[in-house]
Amino acid sequence: MDNITKAGLLLNVVRAPHTAFTRLCSDYDPAELWQSESLWRELGLAERMRERLSGFLSTGWAEKEDERIYAFGAKFITSQSLDYPAKLLDLKKPPIGLYIKGNANLSFPSVAIVGTRKCSVYANGVAENLGKALAKTGIITVSGGAKGIDTAGHRGTLSENGTTVVIFGTGLDRTYPVENRDLFARILERGAWVSEYPFGTDGNTWRFPERDRIIAAISSRVVVAESPEDGGAMHTARIARELGRDLWSIPGRIVDDVSMGTNLLIREGSNIFVSINDFISTITGGRENSIDFDETNEASGNERPEINLSDDEKVIYSLIQRQGGRTSDEIVTESGLDFVSVNMALMNLEGEGLIADMAGRYTVLE
């Protein structure tokens, strides 16, 4: 381990500002960090940081962390490294370094696909198909590995043997969410895991908004597939806008809370995501005029088999098709059927895979 890497590990773990690390590397010998405590004040380290740095030095933490990195098959690069993504330096607070496992080139053109964990079937399908389309162009996809939109984007990219990168809000040795363990393993085959957090770092709530700045900065463009007004993806979107990244939002129905954030972003000036083909054509300069996939998320040649519905089920299914997003109480009022009949029909329609209960509102599955 060279002195710059050791200094980067130590200043990163005590949460020192990036400016302290760059000043250390430009104006001093990085080895002075553990040879001269008087330097710590000159670098602007707060008292708490100095106390923590002293503790980490006394236990040989940097050397042990370097061993953990090697055993895990990962690497740690600092902002002084040639393979550190220059786009991250656009941030007010760039990470001093990154833990990386995998082989993706983080400086290549990339698109972030972000959105809510509790997404609609529609947005999930668009995110997955966008991942597929980007894979076919050779553009890297970036996301946070969370349930919902993140998972759909990663999964779509992998289905077309594309390259995708997951930015962790934990240490690389912590799988979060655990349900995505298999997905993360597949990502390593075609992409990379990235984190600024040392090994053993758990997923504290505040770390994920902090992680979002890396998703926004490392990407050439950011697509918000679906988000409520206070969703985490909104934080990523606004950082992207501050950095001058190309921001795109997929419009949603104005009556759905889950689309309020993306619709507000459009009002605030985000590019409107009209269709996947239009987006791909725009970002590739028209070189890809048509991507061979189904934007409606229906499998070509696999039409839904005919299902025999009762009269009540036909009435309710037709109503949901026309109106969409209806609660059971609204369906009782609008259909003229009694409560028991409505709920029985809803249960049967859901069992046949024709509708889905999305946060208390029934929506047709296309």
Side-chain angles (χ1 to χ4, degrees):
M1 175 173 54
D2 61 76
N3 289 337
I4 290 179
T5 300
K6 181 177 178 179
L9 283 169
L10 287 165
L11 290 179
N12 183 67
V13 74
V14 302
R15 312 297 293 160
H18 182 260
T19 51
F21 177 66
T22 55
R23 187 178 174 199
L24 173 69
C25 293
S26 63
D27 298 345
Y28 303 91
D29 178 349
E32 290 186 60
L33 183 68
W34 50 91
Q35 296 171 353
S36 172
E37 291 190 21
S38 63
L39 173 63
W40 301 353
R41 284 190 175 84
E42 293 181 39
L43 293 175
L45 301 188
E47 181 179 358
R48 177 59 178 157
M49 293 177 186
R50 299 196 302 269
E51 291 173 354
R52 297 189 68 210
L53 181 55
S54 178
F56 283 117
L57 285 170
S58 68
T59 61
W61 177 87
E63 288 74 15
K64 294 175 183 176
E65 182 77 344
D66 187 55
E67 292 174 1
R68 287 187 285 267
I69 293 168
Y70 179 79
F72 197 74
K75 63 181 178 179
F76 179 80
I77 61 171
T78 73
S79 60
Q80 299 293 306
S81 304
L82 291 177
D83 47 353
Y84 181 93
K87 289 178 286 190
L88 292 180
L89 297 177
D90 293 341
L91 289 166
K92 294 177 182 177
K93 296 180 179 180
I96 288 173
L98 296 173
Y99 291 78
I100 302 171
K101 184 171 183 177
N103 299 305
N105 188 326
L106 301 180
S107 296
F108 275 12
S110 58
V111 171
I113 304 174
V114 298
T116 180
R117 290 170 173 80
K118 298 179 179 180
C119 63
S120 67
V121 174
Y122 160 72
N124 185 87
V126 174
E128 184 166 349
N129 278 321
L130 176 57
K132 292 179 181 180
L134 289 167
K136 292 180 179 181
T137 69
I139 295 174
I140 294 172
T141 60
V142 177
S143 201
K147 298 177 185 178
I149 295 300
D150 291 14
T151 292
H154 290 307
R155 187 173 57 228
T157 302
L158 292 171
S159 72
E160 295 293 338
N161 296 318
T163 300
T164 188
V165 174
V166 57
I167 311 296
F168 281 40
T170 64
L172 292 185
D173 59 336
R174 295 291 190 266
T175 302
Y176 183 87
V178 294
E179 296 92 332
N180 275 353
R181 186 182 301 276
D182 291 343
L183 176 68
F184 293 158
R186 292 178 59 211
I187 287 174
L188 273 188
E189 298 172 5
R190 298 289 309 174
W193 300 353
V194 177
S195 176
E196 67 178 311
Y197 300 116
F199 280 85
T201 302
D202 291 322
N204 302 101
T205 303
W206 61 268
R207 295 190 192 280
F208 294 97
E210 187 175 61
R211 177 275 313 269
D212 292 343
R213 82 191 198 287
I214 295 180
I215 294 177
I218 209 169
S219 305
S220 310
R221 295 171 176 84
V222 173
V223 175
V224 185
E226 189 173 65
S227 177
E229 188 173 0
D230 59 352
M234 296 293 285
H235 184 241
T236 306
R238 290 188 166 123
I239 294 173
R241 177 178 290 152
E242 290 172 5
L243 295 173
R245 300 293 185 264
D246 204 10
L247 179 62
W248 295 73
S249 301
I250 298 173
R253 297 178 351 131
I254 63 172
V255 295
D256 293 341
D257 290 341
V258 77
S259 299
M260 183 62 71
T262 41
N263 289 341
L264 285 174
L265 288 173
I266 291 170
R267 188 181 71 178
E268 294 169 4
S270 167
N271 292 300
I272 302 176
F273 196 103
V274 176
S275 73
I276 295 178
N277 278 329
D278 174 74
F279 176 74
I280 295 297
S281 179
T282 299
I283 68 175
T284 60
R287 294 190 303 277
E288 300 286 342
N289 293 321
S290 180
I291 302 297
D292 184 21
F293 68 94
D294 186 355
E295 293 194 39
T296 65
N297 205 31
E298 295 175 358
S300 178
N302 291 295
E303 291 79 11
R304 188 189 302 278
E306 181 147 356
I307 299 171
N308 292 321
L309 302 179
S310 70
D311 290 340
D312 288 353
E313 289 163 359
K314 290 177 181 177
V315 168
I316 292 173
Y317 184 63
S318 177
L319 188 154
I320 297 173
Q321 274 187 314
R322 294 194 311 272
Q323 304 292 343
R326 315 310 287 167
T327 67
S328 58
D329 287 341
E330 289 171 335
I331 293 169
V332 168
T333 300
E334 295 166 7
S335 68
L337 298 171
D338 63 83
F339 182 80
V340 174
S341 298
V342 166
N343 279 276
M344 182 63 70
L346 289 172
M347 185 170 62
N348 291 339
L349 289 169
E350 196 167 10
E352 293 288 359
L354 294 174
I355 64 172
D357 182 354
M358 306 299 292
R361 290 183 174 274
Y362 289 92
T363 303
V364 168
L365 292 176
E366 299 295 344

